[in-house]
Amino acid sequence: MSITRVDLQTTRPGSEGQRVPGGPARAPLPAPSASAGSGRTAGDPQAGEQQDAVERPLVDRFGRVASDLRISLIDKCNLRCTYCMPADGMAWLPKSRLLTGEEVRRLVTIGVRDLGVRELRLTGGEPLVRVDLVDIVAGVRADHPELPISLTTNAVGLAKKARPLAEAGLSRINVSLDTLHAGTFQELARRNHLQATLDGIDAAVEAGLGAPLKINTVLMRGVNDHEAADLLAWAVERGFELRFIEQMPLDADHGWRKDNMVTSTEIRERLAERFVLSADPRERDGAPAERFQVAPVSDPGRIVGTVGIIASVTEPFCSDCRRTRITAEGKVMACLFSREETDLSELLRSGATDDDVADRWREAMWGKPRAHGMGHPGLGDDDFVQPDRSMSAIGG
């Protein structure tokens, strides 16, 4: 099912074509479905899931519709990557504050059935640290047989869990891997787990989780930026889709500097030493990565794979952002860089109906800022304020 994007820049959810100063009147949003206010719960997860239309999706003031749900399962991680966490780790959430497996399933059902969610990504921290991860995946799959479910992981420990996750119904894996050299891995991740990561990737492929398997790489100046072409060669040889991600100001130490990050332009220049990149003919369709077809310099007519570049800093794509994020303790973050959060967990634990939860979720997404947590794109600009949370605490 597809959802047509609409222009609701000057209309609040449910308003009757309300006019605001300087803006034209808008057509009213569709009325709530007949089940609204019914007090329905997630006991019947299939009910209404395959509607021809979602009457009240997660729309914001700028006409963007969120259909990509990312739920963090835990803030803990077994690595200490320099662009994410301090060397000594952070103050982890107590288990009692984490969403339970049943709460995750309930949120997914509300999202899919009532709000137009069409794909799910489970993130962290490191989601493999959750002892009930396989049960969560199996539960969501039982509730939603057709829902694409992916997992973002560092793959440490995946060698043992890839097969059970595939059997539980996981669709696909995204693996964070920044280097192929053990010493550099130790420098970046502050842990000596490169081989465990590579073993996890192999296990994921063997389990059928490579359709395609995506590799996420952050290049750090003077550390691993010289590996760009090597990483791409390694990925295309194995049929993986490599995606380079510009380093974002989401490190716990708040040491990020715009003038020191490796930009999208630099990444393309480094790849051009060995590869010819051409525009991927597939539509971007809200994806964060700009994709390119890859051919060797020695044989530019032979396409050997694809590569993506997520240029959140220098080439932001906020105008077509379709993501809605929920943190490990159940808070909606409408924007990755937002300093405002909306708590759903207290509703989940206070006897609220699914409609109550959905309405609060809609309100949270309606307040989504235009870009980068403010009124315009500009990571590193003078008016940009870095979120207090690091990426590990937010969820990727």
Side-chain angles (χ1 to χ4, degrees), residues 13 37 53 59 61 72 75 96 124 131 151 189 193 197 215 230 245 257 270 280 326 331 353 377:
V59 66
R61 295 167 293 172
S72 175
D75 58 333
S96 61
V131 296
L151 182 79
H193 292 330
T197 296
I215 303 292
D230 289 340
I245 304 174
R257 299 199 324 271
R270 290 185 177 274
D280 192 311
I326 297 180
K331 295 183 177 181
T353 68

Side-chain angles (χ1 to χ4, degrees), residues 77-89 154 156 176-179 181-194 197 218 220 223-224:
C77 187
N78 42 18
L79 301 182
R80 298 290 183 271
C81 297
T82 56
Y83 52 80
C84 181
M85 295 175 60
D88 296 330
N154 59 35
V156 176
S176 299
L177 176 65
D178 302 319
T179 178
H181 299 284
T184 307
F185 191 100
Q186 173 73 40
E187 181 179 357
L188 280 170
R190 301 187 180 107
R191 296 290 187 273
N192 186 24
H193 292 330
L194 174 60
T197 296
V218 177
M220 303 288 286
V223 181
N224 66 334

